[in-house]
Amino acid sequence: MTVVDLALAAPLASTGRAAQLSLILDHDERDRARCFHHDADRLLYITAHALTRHTLTNRRRSIDPSAWRFSVGPWGRPHPVNAETGELRFNLSHTQGMTAVAVAEGVDVGVDVEWIRPDDWIYDTAGTVFSPAEVASLVELADDERRDRFFLYWTLKESYIKARGMGVSLPLELISFARTVGEEVTLDLDPSLEDDASSWAFETFRPSTEVRGAVAVRAPSIELELSWPDLS
Ligand SMILES: CC(C)(COP(=O)(O)OP(=O)(O)OC[C@H]1O[C@@H](n2cnc3c(N)ncnc32)[C@H](O)[C@@H]1OP(=O)(O)O)[C@@H](O)C(=O)NCCC(=O)NCCS
């Protein structure tokens, strides 16, 4: 069983506290935080990055939250480069009202949180990002269930592409999820993706009524160690 630390936090409400917390971020992170036009986006960004640093430190107590250094891969995924990092890996996600960080040892890990938009235009995108089997399963559902299933598939797909570190360079419609009656999630991958679907485990979570989340890990099974650190 692979244990994944999943830390969740609502975005900070106070710009004063955000200014204090941003002191633990590095120059690049602070520059990016300054670029946001809206305070809400800045607060979300600072919360997610401070949460990441604290969650990583929980696994490597010798490294202070402010001491983490990162480098980014070819498709933009950040990874820690401190000497003591070892095999520690993480992924973060932010959406309206929620930030999430997943940390695991020695295995690819991805996390996604999405605010469940109430608008129906979301379904216009289904044909380009969902597999034919996913689209067929959405069509047969009632409205409320369809919206929930849409974001279930969406967060699972994002958690998978983020765990692989390749982002939307992977063709989303070739990654196909299904939910069985017993609520179990299954993955089917097109052979062109050159990956073994059975080597992945997924867990979904609902941090609030408006937000859905999913974690992907390249491991036979997954156990989420959930926490809500207080950053306020
Ligand atoms: C990764 C990606 C799927 C994120 O989607 P999203 O739902 O909008 O955003 P989320 O909040 O869930 O995740 C964003 C976080 O994922 C991480 N991330 C960025 N690129 C990533 C990647 N390729 N794989 C995994 N994680 C990535 C970052 O930490 C980012 O947070 P930050 O911008 O605050 O540092 C999307 O941005 C993507 O596909 N990026 C790749 C773009 C690309 O191909 N760039 C090529 C540059 S040459």
Side-chain angles (χ1 to χ4, degrees), residues 32 45 49 75-76 78 91-94 112 158 162 165 167-168:
R32 282 191 64 197
Y45 179 90
H49 286 255
W75 290 280
N91 193 227
L92 73 85
S93 183
H94 25 57
D112 188 51
E158 289 260 332
K162 293 181 76 190
V168 288

Side-chain angles (χ1 to χ4, degrees), residues 28-192:
D28 287 350
E29 288 172 313
R30 267 181 267 172
D31 280 351
R32 282 191 64 197
R34 269 192 288 272
C35 286
F36 292 103
H37 294 299
H38 300 292
D39 278 350
D41 294 331
R42 183 176 307 106
L43 292 169
L44 193 62
Y45 179 90
I46 292 171
T47 307
H49 286 255
L51 182 67
T52 298
R53 287 169 172 276
H54 279 285
T55 312
L56 287 170
T57 291
N58 280 341
R59 283 272 187 134
R60 291 286 186 278
R61 295 282 177 185
S62 61
I63 306 178
D64 190 76
S66 63
W68 288 99
R69 295 291 170 262
F70 304 97
S71 179
V72 291
W75 290 280
R77 173 171 61 180
H79 56 271
V81 292
N82 303 59
E84 308 94 314
T85 300
E87 286 294 297
L88 200 61
R89 300 187 198 172
F90 81 96
N91 193 227
L92 73 85
S93 183
H94 25 57
T95 190
Q96 182 169 320
M98 194 59 59
T99 66
V101 180
V103 175
E105 202 76 56
V107 286
D108 293 329
V109 63
V111 64
D112 188 51
V113 281
E114 296 288 338
W115 176 61
I116 302 176
R117 296 173 190 84
D119 331 77
D120 282 338
W121 62 259
I122 53 167
Y123 301 124
D124 297 344
T125 62
T128 51
V129 297
F130 290 150
S131 70
E134 288 171 332
V135 172
S137 79
L138 285 169
V139 167
E140 66 193 22
L141 295 171
D143 280 355
D144 274 3
E145 250 186 295
R146 182 179 306 128
R147 183 169 284 104
D148 189 60
R149 184 69 65 94
F150 180 102
F151 285 101
L152 171 74
Y153 291 158
W154 182 259
T155 51
L156 284 165
K157 262 177 216 282
E158 289 260 332
S159 71
Y160 171 77
I161 64 170
K162 293 181 76 190
R164 289 201 58 184
M166 297 167 72
V168 288
S169 67
L170 287 174
L172 292 170
E173 71 284 6
L174 302 184
I175 302 160
S176 187
F177 284 93
R179 161 155 276 182
T180 62
V181 181
E183 298 289 283
E184 204 175 306
V185 164
T186 58
L187 168 64
D188 185 50
L189 294 172
D190 187 88
S192 65

Side-chain angles (χ1 to χ4, degrees), residues 185-218:
V185 164
T186 58
L187 168 64
D188 185 50
L189 294 172
D190 187 88
S192 65
L193 293 176
E194 296 180 349
D195 191 16
D196 176 8
S198 68
S199 63
W200 289 90
F202 298 88
E203 192 64 83
T204 63
F205 56 97
R206 292 293 292 258
S208 73
T209 47
E210 293 88 23
V211 176
R212 244 197 183 287
V215 174
V217 70
R218 196 192 285 275

